[in-house]
Amino acid sequence: MSNKRVLITGAAGFLGSHLCDRFIKEGYDVVGMDNLITGDLRNIEHLMKLKEFEFYHHDVSKFVFVPGRIDYILHFASPASPIDYLKIPIQTLKVGSLGTHNLLGFAKAKNARILVASTSEVYGDPNVHPQTEDYWGNVNPIGPRGVYDEAKRFQEAITMAYHTYHKLETRIVRIFNTYGPRMRLNDGRVLPAFIGQALRGEDLTVFGDGSQTRSFCYVDDLIEGIYRLLMSDYAYPVNIGNPAEITIREFGEEIIKLTGTSQELICKPLPQDDPKQRRPDITKAREILGWEPKISRAEGLKLTYDYFKSLPSEELYKTAHRFE
Ligand code: UDP
């Protein structure tokens, strides 16, 4: 029998490319799909020569078709940073809604199991802390993050509808802040922003007073959690993230120490609707998947810093957003 075959959307992105690596390693044939709006082919360059890997340059907001068998689908196509949503709000809405609908229909046609990438953003600026999966969230639908948050909430709703109505095998992962090699240096997220600033000899920009919290998960831990969820029989949303919570100010101080920069933290205005606190409750992941993160922030940040340092120095100065 031939290898099982998996379709990964957003394959040239940060998480998508790591998923491609993992499924190749597990012995699958992998079909990567990406419209390359925020993805970068360099993230999957090393896979292009493999006979187990194929790439489709396609926008999943349009009808999706791949000939042949497909056993699993992982839908990871979406802009995923606040700067991206501001620059490409309509595409963000479309990929989470129309794109998800297309992929659910495609999964049904292929009799495939589908896992969709949801996000801690479905909890908005949460009033429940840490966030459990049964919390419904506190989202501003018309704020700058609304295009992402509401698309992802719709994605969960339509995925559950396909599960209950069409008996499709579905999985929903709620991803909390994740970092690691292949993040885009200029995507505006706090980790590449701070490391980029340190490497360029600039001050590190803390938004607001830096008392807001996040909990950062190293990418390898996240990929392991997603792999286990896909292989489980659990159709309801599962949080995957690292519960180690830190304020953004303390995080900036860690980056200053790690990079040895002589620069300082400076304050910039806090963006609208920036969540004040975020930490996953991972009880479900522990109980259902036997999963918990293994890589400490110190270890993960070192690996990530080494990656950013290894990039050609001109990358550091590509500070303009890709859509400018
Ligand atoms: N942030 C910051 N400086 C930056 C970029 C982000 O202080 O240069 C803050 C941002 O306001 C937020 C946190 O870091 O409170 C995490 O931001 P990110 O965009 O990485 O992710 P998200 O807000 O989606 O969790």
Side-chain angles (χ1 to χ4, degrees):
M1 213 177 80
S2 60
N3 289 345
K4 287 206 168 182
R5 195 155 172 250
V6 52
L7 169 66
I8 299 175
T9 75
F14 166 46
L15 297 181
S17 65
H18 284 281
L19 283 168
C20 290
D21 285 345
R22 175 65 187 259
F23 279 84
I24 290 285
K25 207 170 118 208
E26 297 286 343
Y28 288 79
D29 285 349
V30 173
V31 180
M33 191 174 276
D34 205 300
N35 67 359
L36 302 177
I37 288 195
T38 56
D40 190 330
L41 279 181
R42 283 176 299 185
N43 290 336
I44 47 172
E45 214 172 17
H46 58 290
L47 300 175
M48 292 295 194
K49 58 186 180 302
L50 302 179
K51 67 174 187 341
E52 295 81 14
F53 185 77
E54 285 168 83
F55 180 71
Y56 282 64
H57 184 186
H58 180 69
D59 180 348
V60 298
S61 302
K62 311 221 166 73
F63 186 79
V64 173
F65 181 70
V66 177
R69 91 185 256 187
I70 294 286
D71 301 282
Y72 298 115
I73 297 167
L74 294 112
H75 180 28
F76 278 70
S78 178
S81 85
I83 281 199
D84 290 346
Y85 328 143
L86 284 173
K87 299 275 178 186
I88 42 171
I90 314 290
Q91 285 98 325
T92 304
L93 278 159
K94 282 170 74 176
V95 72
S97 54
L98 306 179
T100 302
H101 185 212
N102 287 336
L103 287 157
L104 288 164
F106 181 63
K108 186 165 153 268
K110 295 284 186 187
N111 205 13
R113 181 182 297 178
I114 178 168
L115 180 148
V116 298
S118 188
T119 162
S120 55
E121 285 284 325
V122 300
Y123 302 122
D125 187 5
N127 296 319
V128 166
H129 193 73
Q131 292 76 57
T132 47
E133 288 88 347
D134 55 10
Y135 175 50
W136 293 350
N138 175 37
V139 170
N140 174 5
I142 56 166
R145 290 172 179 256
V147 294
Y148 184 63
D149 301 6
E150 296 296 359
K152 291 293 188 181
R153 288 168 70 95
F154 173 85
Q155 176 183 63
E156 290 197 9
I158 193 171
T159 300
M160 281 317 293
Y162 266 72
H163 175 68
T164 45
Y165 188 73
H166 289 307
K167 309 289 176 237
L168 191 68
E169 286 194 37
T170 57
R171 307 287 179 264
I172 299 172
V173 57
R174 289 190 181 148
I175 298 171
F176 282 67
N177 293 68
T178 301
Y179 68 96
R182 303 186 194 154
M183 287 186 100
R184 229 168 63 222
L185 202 48
N186 65 352
D187 80 354
R189 289 183 161 276
V190 66
L191 175 84
F194 282 173
I195 291 187
Q197 287 160 344
L199 288 172
R200 289 190 300 272
E202 297 167 5
D203 287 332
L204 277 59
T205 53
V206 169
F207 295 166
D209 64 5
S211 63
Q212 70 273 33
T213 69
R214 293 293 185 274
S215 308
F216 297 97
C217 183
Y218 187 65
V219 63
D220 290 0
D221 280 332
L222 184 93
I223 298 296
E224 178 63 27
I226 290 168
Y227 188 81
R228 289 189 189 204
L229 177 61
L230 179 69
M231 297 309 161
S232 79
D233 58 5
Y234 193 74
Y236 293 95
V238 178
N239 290 338
I240 299 285
N242 190 324
E245 185 179 2
I246 185 172
T247 67
I248 293 303
R249 174 163 288 281
E250 287 164 341
F251 190 59
E253 281 156 6
E254 283 189 1
I255 302 291
I256 287 179
K257 230 181 179 170
L258 171 74
T259 58
T261 175
S262 49
Q263 304 302 124
E264 296 174 353
L265 302 180
I266 52 164
C267 290
K268 293 268 174 167
L270 187 68
Q272 189 193 332
D273 298 337
D274 198 290
K276 284 183 277 305
Q277 52 184 359
R278 187 182 283 156
R279 168 154 62 107
D281 180 314
I282 59 164
T283 311
K284 254 196 188 187
R286 279 201 178 100
E287 287 177 1
I288 297 168
L289 312 176
W291 176 88
E292 61 181 10
K294 300 255 180 301
I295 298 158
S296 69
R297 206 169 46 241
E299 240 177 306
L301 286 179
K302 166 92 177 57
L303 293 165
T304 310
Y305 179 48
D306 288 347
Y307 165 78
F308 282 124
K309 266 196 310 196
S310 76
L311 294 176
S313 63
E314 63 266 22
E315 289 292 315
L316 279 177
Y317 293 92
K318 287 187 189 157
T319 48
H321 193 270
R322 292 172 80 128
F323 309 104
E324 281 160 351

